[in-house]
């Protein structure tokens, strides 16, 4: 099996390819080759039991999508995107990469003609306040950010290209990924990870919203699990509604900090201080907080057991089991 | 006031400009000029109390959208679209005209910088079965046609460009317009008008679906009313959810034929015969039938009193009050 991962240099891409490298198979088939595309040079996992090709390119450049799908990969993970904060401040770049880039890819797949399974990472940012509590699967998509609007458009294209038989698409609306490893990115949701990650690494962290703010989160490990599960779904069983809310946990900042205190102790938890940021607060106020993701649960998607586990996953996967003193 | 109407040569455009010509004003302001753009030469209403310019162009051609908005019209009616049946059979044309064309227009408006009120005719085809009964304003958009997907994408763009302050958009999801005057078009919904219009004109008509099929309809006169009302809405009052389900009537084919018999007599009603068409039936089965358009009713949109009135509007506006014997 050949797999293409756009945005393969990003955090989710890295988590996915590391998992694929450990397992060596996808949908029960041996993986022969993985192509990692990104605007930055993607990291090749050591000891992968398959060939790994990297392509440092811009998916929205003319012809690049055709190049990427010319080898007829059976599974395409389309992760490449400008994140929410940057899509909000650079309107043109957001639309060019997130909407035109995805549309280019779908058109290239249509021209290639082999109807691959395409797993697209959408986002709960397709939803905009006010919300029902919890949000059902059939609540409408009225994004309050350009990022959300771009993802919602891509979902519509993915469904329609799938309905016409040009691609076999599955869109998964990722919860906010927490705890993101590494450096902060430009996502407006970055602090949800920062206020856990930095204290665990011995660094002070600033929370820009108040502690009653709730959000819908899943670990990077759970996200890699969603991607692997999505590749194997039976399209007939999914039906025409191809974009799915992923299971996650609804937690408040207060609950996250209580978890941190429980799992990592007072010294770690005391490294977080509050400094309200109106720009971030305004974006976050429009975000969904709680879901009832019936369809994805029926389809067998699973997530972290609770928020304590999300912290433990980070300590295990990123910190070699050790919390900074 | 300067007004631009894209798709001004179509039926809705004609109804709108005729109404504007009768009234001479919009939002209480005197109309100075109306520009009618279409791929076919638009009809200029006789005796319009304002200047009428026609432009026979393709909105999706490079540069054309910029030309159209260079005069900074205060109100833009964006009606230009490939209809549902044609968008389904010609995938590329549908996306080029309906999505790229609309996006070009929004970009041109953004560049022009004058933030006009832009009234966009969307469609209830943004919805896909299965549906709740009736469909609430916050039901999700999962179109089952390319036309519906294109309109849903345009709605997202319209909202986002409005949110960013580039345009002051209102999207109105038109019910199926019934009774459309003139010749049948390529819309899959065309028969809803045909089975009324042809018998009233003395011609036999074929109904391609069975008589239990229900649909959501409004008269051309009501549609022109929606467009005029949408131009005057206070954007603050509408809020960020700029795309609205218009009020209409949920009628079955059986109820439509009963109305026809009541209003026009047995001889006219007996001119309809049934000949099931699987292609049309399949498209129509995925269409919404009944709405609870709370928001638009709150905002003051009004529709026909009942289906008998819809038939009478056609007899009055299109047949000079006379039914063919």
């Amino acid at each position: 099996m050949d797999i293409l991962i756009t945005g393969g240099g990003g955090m989710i891409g890295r988590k996915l390819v590391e998992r694929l490298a450990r397992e060596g198979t996808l949908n029960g088939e041996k993986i022969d080759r993985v192509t990692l595309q990104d605007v930055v040079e993607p990291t090749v996992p050591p000891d992968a039991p398959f060939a790994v090709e990297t392509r440092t390119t811009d998916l929205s450049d003319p012809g690049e999508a055709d190049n990427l799908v010319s080898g007829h990969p059976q599974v395409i993970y389309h992760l490449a995107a400008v994140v929410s904060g940057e899509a909000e401040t650079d309107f043109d770049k957001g639309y060019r990469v997130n909407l035109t880039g995805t549309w280019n890819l779908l058109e290239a797949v249509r021209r290639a003609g082999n109807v691959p399974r395409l797993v697209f990472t959408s986002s709960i940012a397709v939803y905009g306040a006010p919300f029902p509590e919890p949000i059902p699967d059939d609540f409408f998509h009225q994004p309050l950010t350009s990022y959300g609007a771009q993802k919602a458009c891509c979902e519509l294209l993915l469904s329609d290209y799938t309905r016409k038989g040009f691609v076999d698409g599955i869109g998964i609306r990722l919860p906010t990924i927490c705890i993101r490893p590494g450096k902060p990115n430009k996502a407006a949701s970055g602090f949800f990870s920062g206020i856990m990650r930095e204290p665990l690494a011995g660094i002070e962290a600033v929370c820009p919203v108040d502690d009653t703010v709730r959000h819908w989160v899943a670990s990077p490990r759970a996200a890699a699990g969603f991607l692997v599960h999505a590749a194997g779904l039976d399209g007939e069983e999914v039906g025409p509604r191809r974009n799915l809310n992923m299971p996650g946990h609804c937690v408040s900042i207060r609950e996250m900090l209580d978890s941190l205190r429980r799992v990592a102790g007072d010294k770690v938890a005391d490294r977080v201080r509050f400094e309200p940021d109106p720009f971030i607060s305004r974006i976050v106020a429009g975000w969904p907080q709680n879901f009832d993701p019936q369809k994805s649960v029926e389809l067998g998607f699973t997530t972290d057991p609770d928020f304590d586990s999300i912290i433990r996953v980070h300590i295990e996967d990123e910190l070699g089991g050790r919390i900074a003193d």
Side-chain angles (χ1 to χ4, degrees), chain A:
Chain A
M1 175 185 280
D2 276 16
I3 300 172
L4 166 65
I5 306 178
T6 75
M11 187 273 290
I12 302 279
R14 184 167 61 81
K15 289 287 165 191
L16 172 63
V17 75
E18 284 170 3
R19 173 152 173 180
L20 297 176
R22 277 199 306 279
E23 299 185 352
T25 60
L26 183 65
N27 304 344
E29 277 185 59
K30 184 174 165 296
I31 301 168
D32 299 307
R33 172 187 301 269
V34 172
T35 302
L36 299 173
Q37 175 277 343
D38 209 311
V39 287
V40 295
E41 174 71 23
T43 308
V44 176
D47 309 321
F50 43 70
V52 179
E53 187 190 340
T54 63
R55 289 184 64 91
T56 309
T57 59
D58 187 333
L59 185 59
S60 58
D61 284 349
E64 178 53 15
D66 288 295
N67 292 338
L68 285 169
V69 303
S70 61
H72 289 189
Q74 289 95 325
V75 175
I76 298 174
Y77 286 106
H78 177 41
L79 316 179
V82 165
V83 296
S84 54
E86 191 174 8
E88 199 57 29
T89 52
D90 191 339
F91 187 81
D92 289 307
K93 184 176 178 185
Y95 274 93
R96 180 173 56 78
V97 174
N98 293 352
L99 180 47
T100 305
T102 300
W103 198 359
N104 284 351
L105 181 62
L106 289 170
E107 277 293 298
V109 166
R110 178 184 170 208
R111 279 189 291 272
N114 65 314
V115 195
R117 164 58 47 92
L118 191 155
V119 180
F120 168 63
T121 45
S122 187
S123 165
I124 55 174
V126 299
Y127 295 102
F131 303 110
E133 167 68 27
I135 298 173
D137 284 336
D138 63 2
F139 186 61
F140 72 163
H141 310 138
Q142 295 281 280
L144 294 173
T145 58
S146 293
Y147 178 77
Q150 291 147 12
K151 290 290 189 183
C153 283
C154 291
E155 288 191 4
L156 287 159
L157 295 175
L158 186 74
S159 287
D160 199 42
Y161 277 66
T162 296
R163 189 183 62 80
K164 295 292 274 190
F166 302 143
V167 69
D168 182 10
I170 299 287
I172 62 177
R173 293 188 198 109
L174 291 179
T176 287
I177 300 305
C178 182
I179 303 167
R180 289 182 64 91
K183 301 222 176 290
N185 70 0
K186 290 183 187 174
S189 57
F191 72 88
F192 283 109
S193 289
I195 61 169
M196 301 283 112
R197 181 185 59 231
E198 313 307 1
L200 287 166
I203 303 168
E204 295 229 322
V206 170
C207 181
V209 301
D210 78 54
D211 73 357
T212 60
V213 165
R214 294 183 311 147
H215 203 41
W216 185 248
V217 298
S219 70
R221 198 193 278 179
F226 300 153
L227 290 165
V228 166
H229 188 70
L233 289 176
D234 177 347
E236 291 290 314
E237 192 186 341
V238 179
R241 295 172 173 185
R242 289 299 184 100
N243 298 287
L244 305 166
N245 290 328
M246 289 295 102
H249 288 285
C250 172
V251 287
S252 68
I253 298 286
R254 177 48 47 205
E255 288 163 343
M256 290 170 66
L257 293 173
D258 289 347
S259 260
L260 188 63
R261 197 169 294 279
R262 211 156 39 229
V263 173
D266 289 343
K267 196 169 166 189
V268 170
D270 289 341
R271 289 182 185 132
V272 180
R273 68 172 202 279
F274 286 81
E275 239 177 64
D277 177 325
F279 177 75
I280 299 286
S281 296
R282 203 172 53 240
I283 292 183
V284 171
W287 282 354
Q289 303 178 336
N290 193 17
F291 289 85
D292 179 18
Q294 283 186 14
K295 180 76 179 277
S296 66
V297 170
E298 276 168 30
L299 289 168
F301 286 94
T302 56
T303 194
D304 316 279
D306 51 36
F307 196 80
D308 285 12
S309 313
I310 290 179
I311 298 177
R312 288 198 193 94
V313 160
H314 181 78
I315 296 169
E316 197 177 315
D317 288 0
E318 305 297 333
L319 303 175
R322 288 215 310 269
I323 300 166
D325 199 23

